[in-house]
Amino acid sequence: MTIETHTPADVPAKNKQNASAAVADAPTRDKGKDGRGATTVADGVVAKIAGIAIQEIPGVHALGGGAARAIGNLREKVGQKDLTQGVNVEVGQTQVAVDVTLVVEYPHPLQEVADNARDAVYTAIEDLVGMEVTEVNVTITDIHVPSEDSDSEDSDREPRVA
């Protein structure tokens, strides 16, 4: 009596012979280190990880351009903060490219904040997702000046003219 044993790597090979037409249409995926199955990470997950990492950087006031921040403020008022705001990712099989738009607090050095944000994205994605980051492009669209927040104080003052 002969017993035939198969490793997990052998099983998909037999299935491919039987269903070669179906496999031809399926996208190529990483079968994992041990061949037991594929892991796919959605673009939104990678963008959220990058957004969380950037928000922890000193000098980053907000993510996104003007319109995105306006919509983000409305979402925050109803309790739904968008952690992917201002973050755009392209996820490939093993690599990720990230574009980030942010607002820096005055007087933080812009290049230093951008470099720290870039480093945080590289570290977070490579450590948590396990994919190689090919590039992180940072666009600074505005500077937040703390005196801009004092608009509410202006309404408490008496008018200067009668």
Side-chain angles (χ1 to χ4, degrees):
M1 180 155 127
T2 307
I3 298 175
E4 187 176 346
T5 59
H6 299 286
T7 63
D10 294 337
V11 176
K14 283 188 175 184
N15 290 340
K16 284 183 184 177
Q17 293 170 356
N18 296 336
S20 60
V23 172
D25 294 336
T28 305
R29 291 189 178 155
D30 181 20
K31 298 296 182 193
K33 291 181 182 177
D34 56 3
R36 296 186 301 160
T39 302
T40 304
V41 180
D43 294 7
V45 173
V46 177
K48 190 176 280 190
I49 289 170
I52 291 168
I54 292 170
Q55 289 177 351
E56 297 174 358
I57 302 301
V60 173
H61 176 71
L63 294 169
R69 287 196 328 263
I71 293 170
N73 286 337
L74 291 174
R75 282 185 175 163
E76 283 184 36
K77 289 183 181 183
V78 295
Q80 296 179 348
K81 186 171 183 177
D82 183 10
L83 298 172
T84 63
Q85 174 181 305
V87 180
N88 186 16
V89 299
E90 287 183 41
V91 180
Q93 294 293 325
T94 58
Q95 297 178 326
V96 177
V98 182
D99 295 321
V100 177
T101 304
L102 53 88
V103 177
V104 176
E105 293 177 355
Y106 181 83
H108 290 273
L110 302 181
Q111 192 61 49
E112 181 179 315
V113 173
D115 288 343
N116 291 341
R118 187 174 291 110
D119 290 343
V121 170
Y122 269 94
T123 301
I125 292 175
E126 289 178 351
D127 289 351
L128 297 176
V129 182
M131 298 179 84
E132 177 189 0
V133 179
T134 58
E135 65 181 6
V136 177
N137 299 311
V138 178
T139 303
I140 300 172
T141 59
D142 200 1
I143 296 176
H144 176 259
V145 180
S147 64
E148 291 176 356
D149 289 338
S150 65
D151 292 340
S152 62
E153 296 172 9
D154 291 342
S155 62
D156 297 337
R157 284 192 272 162
E158 293 183 27
R160 292 177 28 179
V161 292

